[in-house]
Amino acid sequence: MDRSQKTEAVAQLNAVFNEVGVVVVTRNLGMTVAQSSELRNKMREAGASYKVAKNRLAKLALQDTDYVGIGDFLSGPTALAWSEDPVAAAKVAVDFAKSNDKLEIVGGSMGTQVLDEAGVKALASMPSLDELRGTLVGLINAPATKIAQVVNAPANKLARVFGAYGAKEDA
């Protein structure tokens, strides 16, 4: 890489760090190209990204961002996973690391909050934004359904009473 390519790479990473909700640092312990491609595909499906970046360039890109705290994790063969959803990148990385011993979770950050390996695993166990939205919609919908049932109940009872009187008179 020449100087202009390095400058461009730092600028791109800096733009990413200013937009995302979480960054996870992983250590690559000899993954094959097929395994890396599989991980990238899973990340893409979850709305996340995974990139191997030079540690020195990544540390430069971290300056003046909320993620400056993860600079200490950048040593050795590392790669970065990130997503706007605070859970997506962590969830995919942790799930992939469970089935593949060549990927190790080093740590990460959610904004200014630096997370160690246990913190990233705890984050991965949380529901994603889409799951939380679905739960909230369900919770909001449930009372409305119950209110409609309560409002309709007296009318239903009256209709049954009138129906019973009508049946009684016909008999």
Side-chain angles (χ1 to χ4, degrees), residues 21-24 83-91 109-110 115 123-124 129:
V22 68
V23 176
V24 178
S83 65
E84 290 182 22
D85 179 351
V87 179
K91 189 173 287 229
S109 181
M110 223 171 76
L115 307 168
L123 181 64
L129 277 178

Side-chain angles (χ1 to χ4, degrees), residues 2 11 32 85 88 109 147:
D2 65 1
T32 64
D85 179 351
S109 181
I147 288 172

Side-chain angles (χ1 to χ4, degrees), residues 56-69:
R56 191 171 181 314
L57 298 179
K59 286 179 183 179
L60 289 172
L62 286 170
Q63 293 174 359
D64 301 325
T65 67
D66 290 341
Y67 298 97
V68 71

